[in-house]
Amino acid sequence: MDRNFKTPTTLISNQDNLQNTAYLNLNRLSWLPLGFTGSYTRITTPNTNAVGSRSNTVGLLNSGTLRTWNGTANGSLQIPRMPRVSMNYTHNLIDFADANSRLDRLQTYRSALSYAVPKRKFFLPKSVDLTYDYSIFDVRFRDDAVRVLPNNFDTTEYKTGYTAKLPFQFWKGSALTPTLSVSRSWEDRKQLTAIGAPEILKSYDKSRTQNAGFTSNWHITKWMRPSINYSINTIENNILSVSSLTVGNASQVFDIGGVKTINRTANGNISLTLNAAQIIPKTKLFRSFSLTNGYQIQDGDVWNNVETELDTKQALWIRSPLRPSSIFAERASQTLRDTFNSTQRWSPFEAYGIKGRKSAFKTLSLTNNFVKSVQRNETTGTPSKTISTTLPDVIASLSQLEKLTFSERWMKNFQVNLKYAIRKTLNVATSEDVNKTFGTDLRSIIRKKFTTSLSFNLRTTENKDLRIDQVTQRTDHKDATLQTTFDIKKFRFTPKVDYSADTTELGTGQVTGDITVITPSLLVRADLNLPRGLYLPGIKKTLKFTNRVIWTTTLSFQLRNSPITIADNSKTLNLNTNADYELAQNLRMTLNGAVSRLWHKHLKEEEFLSYQFGTTLTFQF
């Protein structure tokens, strides 16, 4: 490509920032519509001897006279029963006429093909979707005196990219869709070290990205329909500077683009849901039983100082390591994670015709989760292994308890939920953490007016150091919440009490943390709608006002007590209020305020009183 290519010749006036646009549309060829748009812009900025950026995006801070030309062409081809093809071409030219005698040109070619395959054969895809991109970005300096300056060299950057998607349907309910996306960039450089000296020519890769994978569903039998998915993403970035590497007594200098980093991530899963009603149609006890199983892999690795010649196109499995030939290449990190999960759902009495008060047992629902994750890490050659297990993770739910408790007269929608879970995290040969959780909550509507809930949770955590076979720390947590909601005219009240207690004890028995927090609170909310109208006699029209006010106020009083930590002995009163007033549909005003007061039991210097007030007026047009 000629280094001294020129800008297009276009007739313009003496005015700056002038843009001329031309458009060509050949609609007579209905199967081949074309379009072309072009513009020429001249921008004059103060001559400040600033040096322009090497990017193809130029700001107004560049000095001198800046000329920009942009052109776009679009075309499509669509013939019945033939693939649909679309094409696009863009041309961007930037001429730094007075700044640094530089010329930037970017040309981009894009095409796409879409085809619905008319024949239905299991070995033929349902459709074909392909895209291809190609771009050339040139940077040229007209003056050799500018070219000899540092980092001022002529370059041509090439970028290519393509994607492919081919969905197959082998039989009804079974489909396989492989996808592939690849992009690559490389650059040619002409460097001038001195005026009159021969040019130094270099060509090197810059980057490459590849994403490959597939999604699939398989209808094997009525009750067996597994799905299998997998994808891997590979990112390569070449080092765009001279690199000097040393391993032991061996040293080597690599030129620009001679080595690269490789970052790979992969994700795959297999899932299968089994319903007992499909396998054993006549069963009643297990009619609602379902089992959802899954296996997932999540892998990733990072490689440094890999020779640029290494081909990773077919390296689609991270658990098969790369095999670079360079002794300077190293695997900086690797993560391999396998996760097994299973979810069971069962309502054992749902299919039985139980009547009367015992019919409440038909609402009994049991859910359990099992999760086991095995993760293997390696960082700079140091391996580690972590095993996480969750079993059991049970939730039992029972509704219509008012029938079993003979309380239908004053209670309805009485429901109880029980939760219990054990989670273990094992860092092999290092430590083990065991977390046990138990919780329950009750919900009901009392006297058809009070929507009430009560919840209580217990959680204990034990940390053990396997290297010395001793428990290093135990923590206990308790919390409870009681609240109810009721309405008085247009006001809704929600009184609430929160309680929490946390203790921390070392393996030696020493208590290092003990804090109890009790917080009673009250939430009041009102939604007042008082529409009004103002009659205007001059124009005989009534101006309507919506007069809607949404007012929310929260009052809380927090009590903190701790025999261990002096700072956790205080009382705090908080009041927050917010009123949203809508005068009309296009006029709103918001008022908000807050007051906070803290009293400390031991540290009087920590006490404070704070308040704030704000308002916002909004016009909508």
Side-chain angles (χ1 to χ4, degrees), residues 3-296:
R3 178 169 58 87
N4 295 317
F5 59 81
K6 299 180 180 180
T7 57
T9 301
T10 306
L11 179 63
I12 61 172
S13 68
N14 293 326
Q15 297 179 353
D16 294 332
N17 302 329
L18 181 65
Q19 178 173 327
N20 297 327
T21 301
Y23 181 76
L24 175 64
N25 190 0
L26 304 180
N27 288 323
R28 289 178 297 177
L29 301 177
S30 60
W31 55 274
L32 184 59
L34 295 174
F36 174 79
T37 59
S39 62
Y40 178 83
T41 305
R42 177 178 176 178
I43 302 175
T44 303
T45 59
N47 189 5
T48 56
N49 296 325
V51 178
S53 169
R54 288 184 54 81
S55 172
N56 60 326
T57 302
V58 181
L60 293 179
L61 295 180
N62 297 102
S63 65
T65 301
L66 178 67
R67 297 184 180 91
T68 302
W69 187 89
N70 299 310
T72 302
N74 297 283
S76 63
L77 172 63
Q78 185 172 8
I79 301 175
R81 293 176 293 183
M82 293 294 291
R84 176 186 176 89
V85 180
S86 62
M87 296 163 288
N88 174 267
Y89 170 75
T90 60
H91 189 174
N92 304 98
L93 189 65
I94 302 175
D95 184 3
F96 301 86
D98 300 329
N100 53 7
S101 187
R102 200 183 85 193
L103 203 62
D104 293 358
R105 178 164 68 178
L106 174 63
Q107 299 179 80
T108 303
Y109 305 84
R110 295 186 175 92
S111 62
L113 182 147
S114 180
Y115 181 52
V117 179
K119 292 186 177 181
R120 288 291 179 261
K121 301 292 184 180
F122 74 93
F123 55 85
L124 294 178
K126 293 178 60 180
S127 61
V128 178
D129 294 289
L130 305 174
T131 66
Y132 180 77
D133 297 341
Y134 178 70
S135 66
I136 305 173
F137 177 42
D138 291 293
V139 176
R140 296 290 183 267
F141 294 89
R142 296 189 182 91
D143 191 351
D144 288 347
V146 178
R147 294 183 64 200
V148 298
L149 296 177
N151 296 325
N152 282 0
F153 31 75
D154 293 349
T155 60
T156 301
E157 182 185 48
Y158 303 91
K159 290 184 179 180
T160 62
Y162 58 88
T163 64
K165 181 179 180 181
L166 302 173
F168 293 86
Q169 184 172 0
F170 302 111
W171 59 85
K172 185 177 180 180
S174 298
L176 172 66
T177 305
T179 58
L180 177 64
S181 174
V182 179
S183 64
R184 174 177 172 255
S185 67
W186 69 97
E187 188 173 76
D188 294 337
R189 174 188 296 186
K190 295 180 181 180
Q191 186 173 358
L192 186 65
T193 58
I195 298 177
E199 292 180 330
I200 300 176
L201 305 180
K202 293 183 179 181
S203 181
Y204 46 85
D205 289 330
K206 296 185 67 175
S207 64
R208 184 180 182 275
T209 301
Q210 175 179 288
N211 188 284
F214 68 89
T215 60
S216 65
N217 297 282
W218 303 94
H219 186 177
I220 300 175
T221 63
K222 182 179 179 179
W223 52 270
M224 181 176 289
R225 300 183 179 184
S227 63
I228 305 174
N229 307 311
Y230 180 76
S231 66
I232 179 170
N233 187 47
T234 304
I235 301 175
E236 301 180 12
N237 288 299
N238 291 70
I239 306 301
L240 302 180
S241 61
V242 178
S243 305
S244 179
L245 304 177
T246 302
V247 174
N249 296 326
S251 298
Q252 187 174 347
V253 177
F254 292 88
D255 202 354
I256 298 174
V259 292
K260 60 185 177 181
T261 62
I262 301 176
N263 191 328
R264 299 187 297 170
T265 57
N267 192 310
N269 66 80
I270 301 174
S271 61
L272 174 64
T273 299
L274 301 175
N275 294 304
Q278 295 177 334
I279 302 174
I280 315 174
K282 296 182 179 181
T283 183
K284 286 188 176 182
L285 181 62
F286 296 101
R287 179 172 297 179
S288 61
F289 182 78
S290 66
L291 183 65
T292 302
N293 301 311
Y295 168 69
Q296 183 180 24

